């Protein structure tokens, strides 16, 4: 199985900060990586797919990059509604697997 | 607007069975792979199963193989998860999601809670 490791597991940031979350796969997954945002008691929401393609309707302050085994999600200027948990997910190989999540909290 | 609405969750004893349903609307259901993803209380996301558009291909995470069965009824725009031999560790919110492209999950339901406890 492909293991997805996210770092950090949590971070504290202020509104307006630039935030970067990393996701590492233990095997090459090309660009078959997605990012999701989840707020408490809510379903996840798709943000980015194919490593860097923004889902329709997602603000442009979100961006993704990477290929192979190393990926990043960047929020260029953190907004109040961005405080949430973020997950990466590989869809290169079954079983599909998620990272452990990164909780973004208010500083 | 894409809508996915899960139902069928509840409290069940270990060893019991439950059938989850997901009603889809707002898109051509028969054109998409569909999936179930679960989340144990306070934990992360875990993919459970996928099913191809015509039901001819099904994939499962190892921990549910032989116990869970994913199926669909394209005439009724519905996705199902039959869960047998339930274990305490199957306790989770179960989400139905739509696959897009090579199967990232672009739309999610609100989830249904399954609690396995004696």
């Amino acid at each position: 199985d492909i293991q997805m490791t996210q770092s950090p597991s949590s971070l504290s940031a202020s509104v307006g900060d630039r935030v970067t979350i990393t996701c590492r796969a233990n095997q090459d997954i090309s660009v078959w990586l997605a990012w999701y945002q989840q707020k408490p008691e809510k379903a996840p929401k798709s943000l980015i797919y194919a490593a860097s393609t923004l889902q329709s309707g997602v603000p442009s302050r979100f961006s993704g990059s990477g290929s192979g085994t190393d990926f990043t999600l960047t929020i260029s200027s953190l907004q109040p509604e961005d405080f949430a948990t973020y997950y990466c997910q590989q869809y290169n190989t079954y079983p599909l697997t998620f990272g452990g999540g990164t909780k973004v909290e208010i500083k | 607007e894409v809508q996915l609405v899960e139902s069928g969750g509840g409290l069940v004893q270990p060893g019991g069975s439950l059938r989850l349903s997901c009603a889809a609307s707002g898109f051509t259901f028969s054109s998409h792979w569909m999936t179930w993803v679960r989340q144990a209380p306070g934990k992360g996301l875990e993919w459970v199963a996928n099913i191809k558009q015509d039901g001819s291909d099904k994939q499962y995470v190892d921990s549910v193989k032989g116990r869970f069965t994913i199926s669909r009824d394209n005439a009724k725009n519905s996705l199902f998860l039959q869960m047998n031999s339930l274990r305490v560790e199957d306790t989770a919110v179960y989400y139905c999601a739509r696959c897009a492209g090579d199967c990232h999950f672009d739309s999610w339901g609100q989830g249904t809670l399954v609690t396995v406890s004696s």
Side-chain angles (χ1 to χ4, degrees):
Chain A
D1 297 4
I2 296 178
Q3 272 193 307
M4 307 300 295
T5 303
Q6 282 184 239
S7 61
S9 56
S10 66
L11 65 91
S12 295
S14 301
V15 172
D17 283 354
R18 181 182 182 87
V19 169
T20 299
I21 298 168
T22 65
C23 178
R24 175 165 289 175
N26 67 351
Q27 298 177 38
D28 188 340
I29 59 169
S30 184
V31 295
W32 305 122
L33 183 102
W35 289 98
Y36 304 92
Q37 177 193 66
Q38 187 179 33
K39 296 181 180 179
E41 309 306 318
K42 296 292 187 182
K45 172 188 171 185
S46 175
L47 295 177
I48 285 168
Y49 62 95
S52 61
T53 303
L54 209 60
Q55 187 71 45
S56 175
V58 173
S60 59
R61 63 181 179 272
F62 291 93
S63 64
S65 65
S67 66
T69 60
D70 293 312
F71 302 87
T72 60
L73 171 70
T74 300
I75 309 172
S76 60
S77 178
L78 199 65
Q79 297 302 300
E81 60 269 29
D82 301 336
F83 292 96
T85 300
Y86 294 85
Y87 294 93
C88 62
Q89 176 238 332
Q90 67 82 18
Y91 52 104
N92 181 74
T93 306
Y94 285 112
L96 309 182
T97 47
F98 289 88
T102 296
K103 187 173 184 179
V104 177
E105 298 176 302
I106 301 171
K107 195 172 193 178
Chain B
E1 180 196 0
V2 173
Q3 276 205 311
L4 298 167
V5 180
E6 301 94 336
S7 61
L11 174 63
V12 61
Q13 291 188 335
S17 298
L18 215 51
R19 188 191 196 213
L20 305 184
S21 299
C22 172
S25 61
F27 66 103
T28 304
F29 180 73
S30 59
S31 296
H32 290 263
W33 280 75
M34 295 295 295
T35 195
W36 289 98
V37 173
R38 68 183 178 183
Q39 186 170 36
K43 302 296 185 183
L45 300 169
E46 181 184 35
W47 169 77
V48 174
N50 269 15
I51 186 168
K52 194 177 178 179
Q53 291 91 331
D54 62 359
S56 62
D57 189 1
K58 304 175 185 181
Q59 301 287 335
Y60 300 92
V61 69
D62 280 351
S63 60
V64 309
K65 281 181 184 174
R67 301 188 300 123
F68 290 12
T69 302
I70 190 171
S71 63
R72 64 192 295 162
D73 184 338
N74 287 343
K76 295 184 177 179
N77 292 338
S78 295
L79 176 72
F80 306 101
L81 187 68
Q82 177 67 43
M83 304 186 295
N84 298 332
S85 303
L86 281 161
R87 305 168 180 168
V88 171
E89 55 265 34
D90 295 319
T91 294
V93 174
Y94 285 73
Y95 295 102
C96 159
R98 185 179 80 167
C99 286
D102 283 301
C103 205
H104 68 278
F105 311 132
D106 70 339
S107 297
W108 297 66
Q110 85 288 350
T112 188
L113 176 62
V114 172
T115 303
V116 185
S117 174
S118 55

